[in-house]
Amino acid sequence: MADELVLYSNPMSRGRMARWMLEEVSQPYRVEMVEYGPPMKSASYLAVNPMGKVPALKHGEVVVTECGAIIAYLADAFPTAGLAPPVTSSLRAPYYRWLMFAAGPIEASASNKALGVVIPEDKRGMVGYGSSELVQGALEKLFDANKYVLGDTFSAADVYVGGELGWMLQFGMFEKRPSLVRYVADVSGRAAFKRAAALDDALIPKKA
């Protein structure tokens, strides 16, 4: 019997990307919904993720936290899904590069913009992403030249980069540059994305 996959998530969190990845690998899984506030900081959940954040993934006895790590882990745990280049492939380099770019520069620049944090021009060398303009420019250059992160082949890196970019464009944290809008439209048109989004959307409380 295969080890059970359990996703700890909330429909209004980065856990949406983790669910999307689970749908892409086409493996059975169940979801434990974790409410914000006390439930997310409870002793039982802190035993899963000491940060008190979602998402988290349990695969049998293995626990993985951090959204990008969950996505990369699932790609390697289920290689038949074809969502990661072979370890010996030269494509593994850009695959790692853009996974980490999503976890670092994209996340940091967007979070700072949302919080109103402005990095003085003479201090940009002290932050990993430099400036939001540099981050958006790097992504624009990538998607001006490529359909997906790795060219014409969809990969787990697109789940993370595409999921992050979707949020950034939706909430106005990044400019709606044509190649970025096109890319997000392409990845969000995938069947797995639509299934995951529908499942999470159904769990969001309806406004009275």
Side-chain angles (χ1 to χ4, degrees), residues 16-69:
R16 294 178 72 98
M17 289 183 279
R19 190 198 280 270
W20 174 13
M21 185 62 185
L22 283 162
E23 291 292 328
E24 290 283 358
V25 298
S26 299
Q27 296 294 316
Y29 67 93
R30 66 180 177 88
V31 177
E32 292 280 348
M33 301 309 300
V34 186
E35 297 295 328
Y36 286 107
M40 207 171 282
K41 306 302 180 183
S42 66
S44 60
Y45 185 64
L46 291 175
V48 177
N49 184 359
M51 290 289 287
K53 296 276 192 176
V54 290
L57 180 77
K58 286 186 81 172
H59 185 198
E61 297 301 314
V62 173
V63 176
V64 189
T65 66
E66 308 309 316
C67 193

Side-chain angles (χ1 to χ4, degrees), residues 1 6-7 12 30 54 79 101 103 114 125 134 162-165 169 182 186 196-197 203 207:
M1 182 175 172
V6 182
L7 175 66
M12 299 178 69
R30 66 180 177 88
V54 290
F101 193 86
L134 284 172
E164 290 277 358
L165 265 182
L169 296 180
R182 186 274 309 161
D186 281 350
L203 295 171
K207 293 182 179 180

